[in-house]
Amino acid sequence: MASHWEEFYATHLPPSDFEDNRMLLKEFCDRHNKSGDRIVLVTSGGTTVPLEHNTVRFVDNFSAGTRGAASAEYFLEHGYAVIFMHRLKSLEPYTRHFNGQKFMDMLELNDRGPNTTITVKPDSVDVLAPILANYKVAQDNGKILYVTFTTVSDYFWLLRSACECLQPLGTKALLYLAAAVSDFYIPSNQMPTHKIQSGAGAPTISLQLVPKLLAPLVSLWVPQAYVVSFKLETDESILITKARDSLNKYKHKLVIGNILQTRRQKVVFVTPESSYEVSLTRDQMMNAMEIEDLIVSNIVIGHSDYIGSFKY
Ligand code: PAZ
């Protein structure tokens, strides 16, 4: 009998841009594998759960993709090549610093009319220059690949494809699964084609559990990779137990637990052997340090130790 995840792929079509993304992923992984680089797959942002095939309405979640976008920048600083697999229109590395009005406020319009020029305000140059410099280095050296998903089904297709391309990297592949992926969905064959009508009264919507992809990911798709998953809870009393259950079940390397309200200040690293908090001090917060800087530094050490353990 087919497992839950196999049944999912057999009954859900890939997204329309799937082949293009598959080729991009393959080229990126092959190139960096040849150069001996480490590659991290960062997943980021939330997934939608459509209620209709011609989607007018969908179930969504809170994630803006801050964790993933910030972490991608720190991984690049540590020399990793980055596959940034993110929800379309969620935050992206580098541009996240200038979201919306912030960017407009950095610019100045000089004159109006045929000789108009635009300049960066002098006090914004110090902010913009280092970020722009890092962005250019990543782009010019082909160190980052952006691929997008929207629905939970798109995410599933893209994740498996990324894993297939990462598999040849063995221990040099790192998976950093920070996306907030829905636990529930409406299977394709149970979804109405057209917009749900209100005339028939309030609909009863029945969601089903999505397959747990960590199981095939760890045991079949990238068995040698260093896999890190995230666990978000709102009740602190169950966080570590849930993280440990996940590690015991899927046998990956690390679960990073976080609580919705405090996720920007502290997280807990849960390994099969131990658990410890990683948090920003008051001074670090005052200096605008980001928790992702600490998270990524810690993971890079763990990944290096892991790679080293295979050398003898
Ligand atoms: O995207 P964001 O920065 O607002 O939030 C990050 C996060 C809470 C989605 C991430 O840290 C996380 O916990 N992801 C996994 C969520 C889960 O499936 O439990």
Side-chain angles (χ1 to χ4, degrees):
M1 209 178 83
S3 59
H4 192 189
W5 65 268
E6 285 171 314
E7 196 186 314
F8 175 89
Y9 288 106
T11 52
H12 291 80
L13 291 173
S16 55
D17 58 356
F18 179 69
E19 266 313 307
D20 293 344
N21 281 329
R22 210 174 60 82
M23 283 188 317
L24 290 171
L25 285 163
K26 179 137 184 28
E27 187 281 325
F28 187 84
C29 291
D30 288 351
R31 176 160 47 88
H32 288 289
N33 196 15
K34 271 195 205 119
S35 315
D37 295 337
R38 295 182 188 179
I39 302 185
V40 59
L41 170 70
V42 175
T43 69
S44 183
T47 57
T48 67
V49 174
L51 302 187
E52 304 115 344
H53 280 288
N54 290 288
T55 309
V56 174
R57 303 184 184 98
F58 51 86
V59 179
D60 204 349
N61 67 49
F62 68 94
S63 170
T66 310
R67 172 88 81 225
S71 303
E73 290 178 21
Y74 294 111
F75 278 118
L76 286 160
E77 274 180 26
H78 283 275
Y80 280 71
V82 174
I83 299 171
F84 187 63
M85 181 178 146
H86 64 291
R87 159 85 174 271
L88 187 69
K89 295 186 189 153
S90 66
L91 293 179
E92 293 179 8
Y94 308 115
T95 56
R96 74 188 170 102
H97 300 278
F98 315 110
N99 230 15
Q101 260 182 297
K102 262 195 216 164
F103 181 64
M104 295 304 231
D105 290 342
M106 292 179 128
L107 304 178
E108 213 147 37
L109 249 189
N110 311 306
D111 300 333
R112 286 168 200 251
N115 300 323
T116 300
T117 54
I118 297 169
T119 49
V120 177
K121 284 184 190 159
D123 59 347
S124 296
V125 170
D126 287 351
V127 181
L128 185 59
I131 297 168
L132 189 60
N134 287 340
Y135 167 79
K136 292 280 183 206
V137 169
Q139 288 294 122
D140 296 350
N141 296 324
K143 287 286 235 176
I144 183 160
L145 174 69
Y146 298 82
V147 282
T148 62
F149 58 83
T150 300
T151 67
V152 68
S153 173
D154 300 346
Y155 172 89
F156 278 16
W157 276 98
L158 210 48
L159 181 65
R160 187 173 69 167
S161 184
C163 287
E164 278 164 7
C165 298
L166 282 168
Q167 211 234 329
L169 276 102
T171 58
K172 285 195 273 97
L174 165 59
L175 279 81
Y176 183 85
L177 306 173
V181 181
S182 178
D183 285 328
F184 315 107
Y185 79 132
I186 304 179
S188 183
N189 61 2
Q190 293 173 29
M191 217 190 289
T193 304
H194 294 293
K195 181 185 167 198
I196 299 171
Q197 297 295 314
S198 60
T204 303
I205 291 166
S206 165
L207 300 172
Q208 301 206 1
L209 284 174
V210 300
K212 297 287 185 199
L213 288 197
L214 258 181
L217 184 150
V218 175
S219 64
L220 298 174
W221 300 343
V222 279
Q224 289 186 302
Y226 193 78
V227 179
V228 178
S229 70
F230 279 79
K231 169 104 10 227
L232 176 82
E233 291 298 340
T234 54
D235 175 357
E236 193 142 20
S237 69
I238 62 170
L239 182 62
I240 294 187
T241 313
K242 293 280 300 278
R244 185 87 350 99
D245 287 351
S246 169
L247 274 181
N248 289 337
K249 202 161 168 192
Y250 304 115
K251 312 267 181 265
H252 53 309
K253 303 296 178 284
L254 172 69
V255 176
I256 300 180
N258 52 175
I259 294 293
L260 184 65
Q261 291 81 358
T262 57
R263 68 190 191 281
R264 305 266 172 256
Q265 293 95 52
K266 61 176 182 177
V267 298
V268 55
F269 274 47
V270 182
T271 71
E273 300 83 32
S274 63
S275 69
Y276 55 95
E277 193 175 282
V278 171
S279 58
L280 291 172
T281 62
R282 186 174 286 273
D283 272 359
Q284 288 171 330
M285 279 194 272
M286 299 290 279
N287 289 318
M289 185 170 183
E290 295 179 306
I291 184 96
E292 287 77 14
D293 191 351
L294 298 179
I295 296 174
V296 169
S297 301
N298 272 276
I299 289 180
V300 170
I301 293 171
H303 188 204
S304 299
D305 289 349
Y306 176 68
I307 293 173
S309 72
F310 279 78
K311 287 204 172 131
Y312 304 104

